[in-house]
Amino acid sequence: MAGRGTDIILGGNWEAEVAALENPTEQQIAQIKDEWQLRHVQVLEAGGLHIIACERHESRRIDNQLRGRGGRQGDPGITQFYVSTEDDLMRIFQGERIAALMGRIGVDDDMPLQHKMVSKTLEAAQKRVEGYNFDNRKNVVQYDNVINRHRRVVYVIRRKILEGADIKTEIERLIDLKVRELTVVPSKNNKNFFAEFEEIFPINDKKLKTIGAEKRDKQRYELAKKEVEKLYKAKEAELETETLRKVEREVYLQVLDTLWMQHLENMQHLREGIHWRSVGQRDPLVEYRSESQKLFDSLQATLRDEVLRAIMHVTVRDAVARAEEDHDTELTRLAENSVEKGVNEVLKGEASRDDEFKVQKGEKTNDAQRKKNTQRKKKKAQRQNRKSGRR
């Protein structure tokens, strides 16, 4: 009844009656129209369409749509709503108070009650429910906007990979970022320098020692970048340029798709439990945005590492196997296995933040507090000396 396109024609629908006949003549159509006109006039004289509703909906919009069934296109009509104090809407919002008031007055249960107070109570209840539903929808949209931003970034990257036959520029950008990350500190300050470097770029130990021993940051970066570029060119010569471009695109897409699916699952798990942050007087939406950004940063870092690892360790046999087979090959398995690490765990995230709910004073805080106390004591002693000098 409350849906759109449900116009109720007073007196019936004469067009439907004509459609029900097989090959109707003009005389039959005219007779049907005349009979409909008589019925239509009778209904208008009786007051038009009368709509009786047995309850009020929690949304005023639905009630207005139901009222709109009567009085369509200038036709007369009446709408009457019957509400019980035991209805859900009345029971939740002051329905018992009205029922108790009617009981004290001595009104019979079958006697209808029409008063502005009842109508205002119903409208107030509907406004509260509508406000509650609006807040829920707004909250859902705010959470969805977070994952939508991630989705746009990933889809833009994927579209560029699909549309571009040559992604060498993107691979070179990833190489530059990874080399900068690996050469932030020398091997003396990073015990895992050689292991982290060899995991991505298979460079011999002698050259790695030379890079790690360099104390100057700029020189260390340039040496590493030069060796990695040699490695990349050697890989390009080994597999041929055209073959390597195909390998890069396929590995990039495979790793990106796998990581994105896992990211969606991680975001869903985060969304389901983020409301517990409110126990620690934290805004769940702010915490969700912060944690989701950490997850997305982890996705980008894992994407960079696994793509470079797969490309730098691919062999001619893998590329040839991929060219001969259409589906499951050594190359696709290489890309699938490359994201095995980091997919099921949150990289660079926080395992637990329960310790933040405890009051802990760090060393820096204690030192600053001691300095403040010392300064206060000195000032207090100076003031006392001044007073004693005046006396």
Side-chain angles (χ1 to χ4, degrees):
M1 286 292 293
R4 293 182 177 87
T6 318
D7 289 339
I8 300 175
I9 302 175
L10 303 184
N13 192 348
W14 66 270
E15 294 180 351
E17 296 180 10
V18 172
L21 299 177
E22 295 183 0
N23 300 323
T25 61
E26 294 182 359
Q27 184 178 2
Q28 289 176 330
I29 296 174
Q31 183 179 358
I32 291 174
K33 284 185 178 181
D34 294 338
E35 293 176 355
W36 172 83
Q37 187 64 32
L38 293 175
R39 296 195 303 269
H40 182 69
V41 172
Q42 292 177 355
V43 173
L44 291 178
E45 292 177 353
L49 180 63
H50 292 253
I51 296 176
I52 300 175
C54 59
E55 64 176 349
R56 291 284 288 269
H57 196 271
E58 62 181 20
S59 175
R60 290 174 295 173
R61 179 178 60 86
I62 302 300
D63 288 343
N64 292 334
Q65 286 183 352
L66 184 59
R67 289 191 182 98
R69 298 309 98 195
R72 302 291 288 179
Q73 299 182 3
D75 293 335
I78 299 174
T79 304
Q80 182 67 46
F81 282 82
Y82 290 93
V83 181
S84 171
T85 56
E86 297 178 356
D87 289 346
D88 293 337
L89 193 63
M90 293 292 294
R91 181 170 50 82
I92 296 174
F93 298 99
Q94 301 180 356
E96 296 179 355
R97 186 171 64 87
I98 297 176
L101 178 62
M102 293 175 64
R104 288 195 299 268
I105 297 174
V107 179
D108 296 335
D109 294 341
D110 297 335
M111 181 178 178
L113 178 63
Q114 294 181 343
H115 196 274
K116 290 183 179 181
M117 182 184 68
V118 179
S119 300
K120 289 182 179 179
T121 301
L122 285 170
E123 291 181 2
Q126 288 177 320
K127 287 181 180 179
R128 292 175 187 172
V129 174
E130 290 173 358
Y132 175 76
N133 294 335
F134 174 77
D135 291 339
N136 286 340
R137 292 193 298 271
K138 182 180 178 181
N139 191 47
V140 171
V141 169
Q142 288 176 336
Y143 278 95
D144 288 344
N145 286 337
V146 177
I147 190 65
N148 284 336
R149 287 196 293 269
H150 298 174
R151 183 179 289 108
R152 284 196 296 268
V153 173
V154 172
Y155 282 13
V156 167
I157 295 174
R158 200 173 191 279
R159 177 59 59 185
K160 289 181 179 179
I161 301 302
L162 289 173
E163 293 179 351
D166 186 357
I167 63 169
K168 182 178 180 180
T169 305
E170 176 66 14
I171 300 300
E172 291 176 346
R173 185 185 69 84
L174 297 180
I175 290 174
D176 183 73
L177 292 175
K178 189 59 181 178
V179 171
R180 288 185 182 276
E181 179 184 337
L182 293 173
T183 57
V184 172
V185 294
S187 59
K188 181 180 179 181
N189 299 332
N190 184 9
K191 297 179 180 180
N192 300 324
F193 180 85
F194 300 108
E196 292 175 354
F197 218 106
E198 290 178 349
E199 185 180 5
I200 306 296
F201 305 110
I203 300 176
N204 59 55
D205 297 339
K206 184 177 180 181
K207 294 179 180 179
L208 276 181
K209 290 180 180 179
T210 304
I211 297 171
E214 180 62 45
K215 296 181 179 180
R216 292 172 295 182
D217 295 342
K218 186 176 180 181
Q219 293 295 113
R220 185 170 56 255
Y221 163 73
E222 291 177 353
L223 287 174
K225 184 69 178 299
K226 184 177 180 181
E227 294 298 329
V228 172
E229 287 178 351
K230 289 181 180 179
L231 178 64
Y232 186 55
K233 290 180 180 179
K235 185 65 63 175
E236 191 173 9
E238 178 186 356
L239 300 179
E240 297 182 355
T241 304
E242 184 178 354
T243 304
L244 184 60
R245 296 291 90 81
K246 293 181 180 179
V247 170
E248 290 172 349
R249 293 179 73 251
E250 293 177 6
V251 169
Y252 202 114
L253 287 175
Q254 181 69 35
V255 174
L256 179 62
D257 291 346
T258 306
L259 286 176
W260 175 242
M261 289 187 292
Q262 186 62 35
H263 180 70
L264 293 178
E265 294 181 5
N266 292 337
M267 292 293 291
Q268 180 63 27
H269 295 323
L270 177 65
R271 175 70 179 88
E272 292 174 355
I274 198 65
H275 63 278
W276 290 109
R277 297 290 177 90
S278 60
V279 177
Q281 303 300 319
R282 298 176 182 272
D283 187 355
L285 180 60
V286 175
E287 293 293 307
Y288 180 75
R289 289 172 177 170
S290 175
E291 295 296 330
S292 63
Q293 186 60 40
K294 294 177 183 178
L295 287 176
F296 191 67
D297 293 340
S298 174
L299 179 146
Q300 291 178 314
T302 306
L303 174 65
R304 179 191 60 208
D305 295 348
E306 305 308 331
V307 168
L308 292 179
R309 181 186 292 111
I311 292 175
M312 294 301 175
H313 290 81
V314 70
T315 62
V316 178
R317 184 186 64 179
D318 299 329
V320 172
R322 180 65 186 90
E324 292 177 353
E325 300 180 13
D326 294 333
H327 302 287
D328 192 16
T329 66
E330 291 292 331
L331 181 59
T332 55
R333 286 193 291 271
L334 177 64
E336 291 173 357
N337 296 332
S338 66
V339 296
E340 197 171 39
K341 175 186 176 184
V343 167
N344 297 321
E345 60 184 3
V346 180
L347 298 179
K348 299 181 181 179
E350 298 178 2
S352 176
R353 299 181 66 176
D354 295 339
D355 55 345
E356 293 187 11
F357 299 121
K358 301 177 182 178
V359 179
Q360 296 179 349
K361 295 184 179 180
E363 296 180 358
K364 295 182 178 180
T365 305
N366 293 334
D367 294 341
Q369 192 67 27
R370 290 194 196 98
K371 291 180 180 180
K372 290 182 180 180
N373 293 335
T374 304
Q375 292 176 357
R376 290 195 192 100
K377 291 179 181 179
K378 288 182 179 180
K379 292 181 179 179
K380 185 176 181 180
Q382 291 175 0
R383 288 195 298 268
Q384 290 177 353
N385 293 334
R386 290 174 186 172
K387 291 181 180 179
S388 61
R390 292 175 184 174
R391 291 175 184 174

